[in-house]
Amino acid sequence: MTNSPGTESSATASAPSDGGEDRLAKAVRAAEQALIEFEIAVETFRVEVENFSRLHHQRLGPMYARLDELDALIAEAVAAHSGDRADIERAWEARALVMPMPGVEELFGGMLGSDGVRPAEDANPPRRVRPGKEAQRLYRELARKAHPDLAQDDAEKERRSAFIARVNEAYAYADEDALRALSAEWDAGPEPEEAPASQAEVLYARLEWLAERKEKLAALAAELDQSAIGQMMRLAPDDPDALLNEIAEQLLTQVSQREARLAELVRRPSRRKESAVSAPSPSPDEEPQAGTESGDDGSGSD
């Protein structure tokens, strides 16, 4: 009888510990799912920013290069017309900003990049900035099922990491067929093992790791959002591809305006030639007349 109170108190003490560990395990699982959803959102945004940057360079880079070349040619034409020292210096500065460029046909054909260097070949360039809805759905399903953060040991985490890397590559190129094949491949593989019972210390360490991981992802998302490309995408968050087309039209208009300006300068005669025509040098006959007049003054005195 005397031992019964101790036994009851021991059982009572162990119950809150088990319940607290269960709540902690639920909190860890909830934090894992929240982190996965956040990482999916960050990775989706990263793909869009990277694709926008690549397409911006491929489509608009030659136009920016052509504008720089036209600016240099215009500055040189202005300097040739005026002969002014300041205009000559501005022409030097404009020319120093660009490398010798080929014709615009070659530029738009992709022969050179905006920096005058042959771009790296991309065997499978992205078709658009934002993958389609079906690709997005397949990607999210695969990420939720096979995310490395769901692994309980190093071997499983390595397997999942390698698989998700393939998923990310297929999503970046909006390859729906590849994503479907990867989904079938994952479904045919072994089912993810249930999370084993963990001690409270392990669960707390897990929560800390999840919090650190989320902070890093938040920093990456902020960096992408504050980048030049990220700020540009803010102008058309619903349709960034249309924004690229709009910028391309604006640049083509600027190219046409500069080409017209350059053609006008080429047709216009320089000021030095105009002054040579309007103010010719004295003829040989006029110079002796001046001398004769002085001589006449002398002869008149005689």
Side-chain angles (χ1 to χ4, degrees):
M1 294 294 293
T2 55
N3 292 333
S4 59
T7 303
E8 291 177 2
S9 65
S10 176
T12 304
S14 62
S17 176
D18 293 339
E21 199 164 292
D22 288 342
R23 289 194 297 271
L24 187 58
K26 290 180 181 178
V28 169
R29 288 194 294 270
E32 286 175 343
Q33 292 301 320
L35 179 65
I36 289 172
E37 295 297 327
F38 186 56
E39 190 159 352
I40 288 173
V42 173
E43 178 63 16
T44 299
F45 183 49
R46 186 198 65 78
V47 167
E48 293 178 5
V49 170
E50 181 177 331
N51 284 354
F52 190 96
S53 178
R54 293 165 65 188
L55 290 172
H56 183 275
H57 177 77
Q58 291 173 4
R59 295 181 187 177
L60 308 184
M63 299 185 193
Y64 286 119
R66 180 61 176 168
L67 285 172
D68 289 340
E69 175 67 10
L70 286 169
D71 286 339
L73 291 173
I74 289 172
E76 290 168 349
V78 170
H81 280 291
S82 68
D84 186 75
R85 179 65 182 178
D87 289 338
I88 294 173
E89 290 179 354
R90 279 191 288 269
W92 288 345
E93 292 172 358
R95 176 53 61 188
L97 294 177
V98 296
M99 298 177 65
M101 302 297 293
V104 69
E105 295 81 9
E106 292 186 32
L107 281 171
F108 279 81
M111 297 299 294
L112 295 178
S114 61
D115 53 359
V117 179
R118 183 181 297 274
E121 295 295 333
D122 191 348
N124 188 21
R127 292 188 290 272
R128 60 200 310 270
V129 170
R130 181 170 296 158
K133 291 183 178 180
E134 180 63 12
Q136 294 179 26
R137 183 187 68 80
L138 292 168
Y139 169 74
R140 287 186 171 88
E141 289 181 358
L142 284 167
R144 293 185 182 111
K145 290 189 294 187
H147 200 281
D149 289 346
L150 295 175
Q152 299 301 319
D153 55 66
D154 293 338
E156 176 66 3
K157 187 170 185 177
E158 183 177 353
R159 183 179 80 89
R160 287 170 174 265
S161 297
F163 183 82
I164 286 295
R166 295 163 60 198
V167 171
N168 289 340
E169 182 178 5
Y171 178 70
Y173 291 107
D175 193 337
E176 295 180 9
D177 293 336
L179 289 170
R180 291 191 187 94
L182 288 167
S183 181
E185 177 184 333
W186 181 263
D187 292 339
E191 291 294 329
E193 297 181 359
E194 294 294 331
S198 303
Q199 296 180 353
E201 293 81 5
V202 176
L203 293 173
Y204 276 121
R206 179 68 170 166
L207 281 176
E208 291 179 357
W209 182 89
L210 291 169
E212 292 176 358
R213 175 64 177 161
K214 187 173 182 180
E215 288 181 3
K216 292 180 180 179
L217 287 172
L220 174 60
E223 182 180 351
L224 290 170
D225 187 59
Q226 295 299 323
S227 66
I229 294 296
Q231 292 180 10
M232 189 179 298
M233 290 179 64
R234 289 184 193 175
L235 301 175
D238 297 329
D239 194 358
D241 293 279
L243 176 61
L244 283 177
N245 295 332
E246 181 181 348
I247 296 174
E249 292 178 1
Q250 294 174 357
L251 291 177
L252 285 174
T253 300
Q254 294 178 29
V255 167
S256 299
Q257 292 172 346
R258 282 169 170 77
E259 287 178 340
R261 168 65 172 157
L262 180 60
E264 179 185 353
L265 288 170
V266 170
R267 290 193 301 266
R268 182 190 304 171
S270 67
R271 291 182 180 178
R272 285 176 293 181
K273 291 180 179 179
E274 290 176 351
S275 62
V277 172
S278 60
S281 59
S283 64
D285 295 336
E286 293 175 347
E287 293 179 357
Q289 289 175 1
T292 304
E293 290 177 357
S294 64
D296 292 341
D297 293 340
S299 60
S301 61
D302 292 338

